[in-house]
Amino acid sequence: MGRDPKPAWLTCERVWRSFERGRHESQEAYRRFVEQGAREGEAPEIWEQVKGQAVWGGEEFLQLVATAVQGDEVEQGGIKQLRWRPSWDKLIQAVEEAKGEGWESFRDRRRDHGREMVFWLARRHGGLKLQEIGDKGGGTNYRSVDSALRGFGRNLRMDPQLNSTLAQIEKQILTQKNES
């Protein structure tokens, strides 16, 4: 947007050209575009293409940014969004292995710990929004995903076995991260 000097790796010309104005006017138009997308309920279709909730580009570019980004995840929450994320399919595979049952057989079961665990992992480690989880989870409404996550959190507090299973799956997921 022109407020700070841009890093050498960041190319803006393509974005500026998309607004078909001079550099300064394009920066201002881009700022308005970003602000519009940030307002709830007014997100243009392009925001669905944002990766890691912070970067617009292909998977290769996302990986490049994720390896280059530095900072404190606690103080700079956006950095956390760019860290390595397991895919939806990897999360499902890990839960399937733990349950000894295929996703298709438990996906549509309400209050199923396997289904809820996939949702939990997708939110916690996959960085997915509630609506994204619902869409990937078979067309579940985001409010239902939120309710399932809250219920799963309550179950985790009361069920040591469920906690143990989740810990094993998270360990497996983190091992995959270190191998990639």
Side-chain angles (χ1 to χ4, degrees):
M1 290 186 283
R3 293 183 179 163
D4 296 312
K6 70 178 185 69
W9 57 265
L10 180 64
T11 58
C12 300
E13 288 75 19
R14 182 174 171 201
V15 172
W16 292 335
R17 279 194 309 268
S18 70
F19 288 97
E20 298 179 5
R21 298 178 178 124
R23 178 179 170 181
H24 179 71
E25 293 84 10
S26 291
Q27 288 172 334
E28 184 61 27
Y30 177 71
R31 182 190 59 74
R32 286 192 306 273
F33 174 76
V34 169
E35 288 173 351
Q36 175 190 357
R39 292 188 190 102
E40 190 174 337
E42 296 183 23
E45 188 176 303
I46 193 171
W47 293 108
E48 295 172 11
Q49 299 171 19
V50 173
K51 307 285 192 222
Q53 299 181 0
V55 177
W56 182 40
E59 289 298 322
E60 188 176 314
F61 179 67
L62 178 61
Q63 291 302 319
L64 175 68
V65 172
T67 57
V69 74
Q70 297 178 8
D72 181 349
E73 289 184 13
V74 174
E75 295 294 323
Q76 298 164 300
I79 289 174
K80 188 174 184 179
Q81 301 301 322
L82 295 175
R83 299 290 188 221
W84 177 87
R85 302 279 187 198
S87 71
W88 176 258
D89 291 336
K90 292 287 184 188
L91 298 175
I92 288 175
Q93 180 182 7
V95 174
E96 285 176 331
E97 289 173 12
K99 283 183 66 73
E101 186 177 6
W103 169 249
E104 295 301 321
S105 65
F106 63 83
R107 180 191 78 188
D108 295 325
R109 283 190 221 143
R110 301 299 179 245
R111 300 206 184 340
D112 184 285
H113 290 316
R115 174 181 174 269
E116 293 173 349
M117 193 174 298
V118 171
F119 289 0
W120 181 271
L121 294 166
R123 185 75 168 154
R124 182 173 183 165
H125 297 288
L128 297 181
K129 297 175 185 175
L130 297 176
Q131 186 63 52
E132 291 171 318
I133 295 168
D135 291 346
K136 290 178 180 287
T140 306
N141 179 288
Y142 77 93
R143 290 183 183 125
S144 298
V145 173
D146 184 52
S147 178
L149 289 171
R150 280 191 265 129
F152 187 74
R154 284 190 301 274
N155 290 333
L156 276 176
R157 289 189 293 275
M158 299 184 318
D159 186 344
Q161 180 59 42
L162 184 60
N163 247 307
S164 175
T165 302
L166 178 63
Q168 289 173 339
I169 292 171
E170 287 178 319
K171 182 178 179 183
Q172 177 185 346
I173 291 168
L174 293 175
T175 300
Q176 291 172 355
K177 171 187 175 182
N178 294 331
E179 292 173 356
S180 17

